[in-house]
Amino acid sequence: PAAVAVSVSCLRVVAPSSYYYCLSSSRIPKFAKPHLLSLPSSVASRALVVSSASMLYDKELAAAKKAASLAACLCQKVQKELLQSDVQSKSDRSPVTVADYGSQAIVSFVLERELSAEPLSLVAEEDSGDLRKDSGKDTLHRITKLVNETIANDGSYSASPLSPEDVLRAIDSGKSEGGSFGRHWVLDPIDGTKGFLRGDQYAVALALLDDGKVVLGVLACPNLPLASIAGNVTLENAVGCLFYAKVGSGTFMRSLDGSSPVKVHVSDIGNSEDASFFESYEQAHSMQDLTSSIARKLGIKAPPVRIDRQAKYGALSRGDGAILMYMRFPRKGYHEKIWDYAAGCIVVTEAGGVVIDAAGRPLDFSKGRHLDSNTGIIATNRKLMPSILKAVRESLEEKPSSW
């Protein structure tokens, strides 16, 4: 056997089958660095390509799961306190504000600790502007205390407690603009704040973009039952799900307390009459008159399942009953943010589903903090997608001015 040194940024091997793998030379992971293999050249090259492809983003995914899980712990503590109080609004210094900032600070902290070899670029919803004002000092104190308690209870990090300034810097890591080049984390620290306030569904949604493409995503859904929400959900049902997906590897679900993961897949029902659909819980978040029109054209008999934000994507990815469609058509003037979709998108697609806009195009996350398209979002399985798009076009053509 010949000794083979492999040192290239793009590898292609066509024997016995075709493989293609490309690495940006500026970000070649350690496992892909040149090294010597005492194997026949064709075997050595193929082994390197397959190994690199299967391991790509593994460390990042592990860090993302850790970050989202810890942030979910923080949010659970705040929501528990909220439900024991009389606070029911997102006013200044409200529990949801504390949880939003605290969740973002935790995610930033964990990603920087776990992935210290490269600078953190985070596209996120919050910034520290209000917390730096005199009126925000009490809120900042509460956030700092909560973040430090969460980190200490986890026990994975032995660093000194974070100062208020450390927390502010962590929050402001989320100011990145993203874009089509490089790696950018995308975070919604609490996706579904109104659900959070009601004691209902919300998610910590974290994804990684690499050159504008979503390559991994994690959804931590503290209140989502581990069992299908299509059945009768009771208070006795265990709740707390962690969904995660990596490009080319499928989607998995486990409990937030760390049970063994199971691979999930969207439902394969192809008859729209047997399906029901997700839509936003809050009427202001979507055009429910339009989605109702589409449902009628599809012959859907079941009423819509209304659930907050990206928790829908987790339920969709595991094929909960006949719940196949999530259709969101924002009202005019609203611009979709990438953190509202990035994690959920890959969780559904890696589970065999499809996520597109109302024109049938894949979502484009390479344009910065906003989605380039603003024509509505559809998520379903591959069998139902053609009939849904037809119903969408017909509904839009009937009353284009009213939508």
Side-chain angles (χ1 to χ4, degrees):
V4 182
V6 183
S7 178
V8 290
S9 61
C10 251
L11 299 174
R12 186 171 185 169
V13 182
V14 191
S17 58
S18 180
Y19 295 83
Y20 183 72
Y21 184 61
C22 187
L23 293 169
S24 170
S25 58
S26 64
R27 297 192 310 279
I28 297 179
K30 294 179 180 179
F31 55 77
K33 289 183 178 180
H35 56 282
L36 203 65
L37 299 172
S38 296
L39 292 168
S41 58
S42 62
V43 176
S45 298
R46 176 178 171 182
L48 176 60
V49 174
V50 174
S51 174
S52 296
S54 64
M55 294 175 62
L56 192 62
Y57 307 118
D58 276 359
K59 186 174 182 180
E60 290 83 355
L61 180 59
K65 290 190 288 184
K66 175 78 169 178
S69 296
L70 265 188
C73 288
L74 181 148
C75 293
Q76 284 176 298
K77 181 175 182 179
V78 177
Q79 191 183 54
K80 182 179 179 181
E81 294 174 354
L82 164 67
L83 297 177
Q84 295 171 347
S85 71
D86 295 326
V87 179
Q88 291 295 322
S89 68
K90 194 178 179 180
S91 58
D92 187 35
R93 297 195 294 177
S94 72
V96 72
T97 301
V98 172
D100 250 336
Y101 284 124
S103 175
Q104 186 159 315
I106 284 285
V107 169
S108 174
F109 171 85
V110 173
L111 292 179
E112 287 191 323
R113 289 304 177 97
E114 298 292 333
L115 305 170
S116 57
E118 59 181 87
L120 175 64
S121 175
L122 180 65
V123 184
E125 188 171 16
E126 308 297 344
D127 66 65
S128 71
D130 289 340
L131 294 177
R132 293 180 181 274
K133 299 175 182 177
D134 288 341
S135 59
K137 287 183 178 179
D138 288 344
T139 304
L140 176 59
H141 174 75
R142 291 170 61 192
I143 295 165
T144 303
K145 182 174 182 291
L146 189 62
V147 167
N148 281 320
E149 287 175 352
T150 303
I151 293 171
N153 290 339
D154 174 67
S156 299
Y157 307 101
S158 58
S160 302
L162 301 183
S163 67
E165 186 59 37
D166 292 331
V167 170
L168 292 171
R169 282 196 297 267
I171 292 169
D172 283 338
S173 296
K175 289 183 176 181
S176 172
E177 292 296 317
S180 61
F181 178 77
R183 290 189 176 185
H184 307 284
W185 290 94
V186 180
L187 170 69
D188 194 334
I190 295 184
D191 186 33
T193 53
K194 290 187 176 180
F196 180 89
L197 285 169
R198 290 195 313 272
D200 208 340
Q201 299 301 330
Y202 67 97
V204 177
L206 179 62
L208 176 62
L209 303 182
D210 198 344
D211 291 344
K213 304 295 184 182
V214 185
V215 295
L216 68 84
V218 177
L219 291 175
C221 307
N223 291 338
L224 189 67
L226 292 168
S228 170
I229 61 172
N232 293 320
V233 179
T234 68
L235 294 176
E236 287 73 33
N237 287 111
V239 298
C241 301
L242 184 75
F243 298 90
Y244 58 92
K246 186 182 73 168
V247 63
S249 299
T251 297
F252 295 82
M253 181 192 82
R254 66 168 175 81
S255 67
L256 273 173
D257 60 14
S259 64
S260 297
V262 294
K263 194 168 188 178
V264 297
H265 199 278
V266 297
S267 172
D268 63 355
I269 289 177
N271 185 351
S272 60
E273 292 185 3
D274 298 329
S276 59
F277 64 94
F278 287 126
E279 70 177 5
S280 298
Y281 187 95
E282 300 288 339
Q283 290 188 10
H285 287 171
S286 66
M287 298 177 67
Q288 293 183 357
D289 46 0
L290 175 55
T291 55
S292 294
S293 171
I294 295 167
R296 286 193 298 271
K297 290 182 180 298
L298 290 167
I300 293 174
K301 300 177 177 64
V305 177
R306 291 178 177 146
I307 181 174
D308 294 285
R309 310 301 300 219
Q310 287 181 80
K312 302 179 189 73
Y313 286 91
L316 186 69
S317 74
R318 66 187 185 189
D320 278 8
I323 301 170
L324 275 297
M325 290 165 288
Y326 163 49
M327 298 176 287
R328 183 166 190 235
F329 295 81
R331 297 189 181 275
K332 290 179 181 178
Y334 178 84
H335 298 284
E336 300 285 3
K337 316 296 193 304
I338 62 172
W339 52 75
D340 286 330
Y341 296 97
C345 183
I346 192 169
V347 164
V348 168
T349 56
E350 283 297 316
V354 186
V355 183
I356 57 176
D357 68 15
R361 300 170 298 198
L363 304 189
D364 185 355
F365 294 96
S366 69
K367 304 298 184 181
R369 296 171 73 87
H370 296 86
L371 286 178
D372 191 42
S373 170
N374 199 38
T375 58
I377 310 295
I378 305 169
T380 185
N381 66 24
R382 296 183 182 278
K383 292 181 180 179
L384 286 174
M385 187 57 77
S387 60
I388 295 174
L389 283 174
K390 181 175 181 292
V392 168
R393 285 193 295 268
E394 291 175 353
S395 293
L396 290 173
E397 288 170 359
E398 287 176 359
K399 295 183 179 180
S401 61
S402 64
W403 310 130

